[in-house]
Amino acid sequence: MGQFIDLTAADGQKIPAYVARPAGQPKGGIVVVQEIFGVNSHIREVADGYAQDGYLAVAPGTFQRVKPGVELGYADADMQEGFGYKTAVEALPAPGVMQDLQAAIDHAAQQSGGKVGIVGYCWGGLLTWRAACTLNGLAAAVPYYGGGVTTPEEAARQPKAPVLAHFAEQDHWIPLDSVEAFRRAHPEVRVFTYAADHGFNCNQRGSWNEAAARLARERTLAFFAQHVG
């Protein structure tokens, strides 16, 4: 359904992005932000799913500045490799990868002719939260189990767009008490928790939880329908 194109960030950096188009006129655009495994088959499947629901989906390669062409699986070695790339991206001078997300938002707006939402998973959830707080042109943001979102530093940010956040109750990376602190700090954010583990949305991981993934997606689509189109 989709194909890779090149986006151009504000500093001239070329960023590959997987773009999936709906059958008819898009209802709006959705930027899909990868985990630490690259724009792999799962992220492309997620983008295809949003296209099937009527949105123009754009999934930028957020590792491009440190390692082009990353596409990993979910074994321990893949996780270690991806974490290394994520650490390198996080160490880039500001604005770093955020300008790549802005390029994806701008492309989604231009090509869809509508409003734009953003959804991200794991590290992509953290980037989605940062995008909601710092970038322009977003109508809604949905971070899934964003590692780091509930830290005091990140929770101190203020979103400029409506946010719906999904967390996992059995997530050893994101303690539930920090989720509750985040909920108290941000009464304007719709926070949902699920009886599931980190990565519950990914059907290629052992932590996949079909019921939680389905419910979270229903809530996400309703949120995008309300705010994006």
Side-chain angles (χ1 to χ4, degrees):
M1 176 179 288
Q3 62 180 7
F4 276 92
I5 65 165
D6 278 338
L7 306 175
T8 304
D11 66 349
Q13 172 77 46
K14 298 292 186 182
I15 302 297
Y18 179 79
V19 178
R21 297 179 177 276
Q25 175 65 29
K27 297 188 287 189
I30 302 295
V31 175
V32 178
V33 192
Q34 64 171 67
E35 305 165 294
I36 61 169
F37 308 102
V39 184
N40 62 7
S41 60
H42 170 64
I43 293 298
R44 297 195 299 271
E45 180 184 313
V46 170
D48 289 344
Y50 280 109
Q52 289 165 8
D53 285 303
Y55 297 99
L56 182 126
V58 181
T62 51
F63 282 155
Q64 181 69 13
R65 290 176 182 270
V66 299
K67 179 73 172 180
V70 175
E71 183 170 344
L72 300 173
Y74 296 93
D76 287 345
D78 295 306
M79 192 164 294
Q80 291 175 14
E81 184 177 348
F83 187 79
Y85 299 143
K86 174 247 186 187
T87 302
V89 172
E90 291 282 323
L92 290 171
V97 73
M98 300 310 294
Q99 58 196 322
D100 306 338
L101 295 182
Q102 187 66 65
I105 293 165
D106 295 345
H107 183 80
Q110 178 190 29
Q111 293 297 308
S112 72
K115 297 178 180 178
V116 178
I118 188 169
V119 60
Y121 306 85
C122 184
W123 176 52
L126 174 60
L127 295 178
T128 293
W129 170 247
R130 289 176 180 165
C133 298
T134 64
L135 299 184
N136 298 317
L138 285 173
V142 182
Y144 275 71
Y145 34 83
V149 168
T150 62
T151 63
E153 178 185 15
E154 293 294 337
R157 300 180 188 270
Q158 295 299 321
K160 302 193 292 182
V163 176
L164 184 159
H166 302 296
F167 292 102
E169 294 165 8
Q170 296 150 24
D171 191 336
H172 65 281
W173 300 103
I174 309 172
L176 204 53
D177 60 350
S178 74
V179 174
E180 294 306 320
F182 178 83
R183 191 200 300 266
R184 291 192 298 271
H186 288 283
E188 79 285 2
V189 174
R190 295 179 63 186
V191 175
F192 290 103
T193 64
Y194 302 82
D197 202 348
H198 188 87
F200 67 76
N201 183 71
C202 179
N203 57 9
Q204 296 183 21
R205 301 178 73 166
S207 55
W208 180 49
N209 184 304
E210 185 176 7
R214 185 187 309 113
L215 179 56
R217 193 167 190 279
E218 288 172 359
R219 287 168 169 165
T220 299
L221 286 172
F223 192 69
F224 284 150
Q226 177 185 356
H227 296 288
V228 177

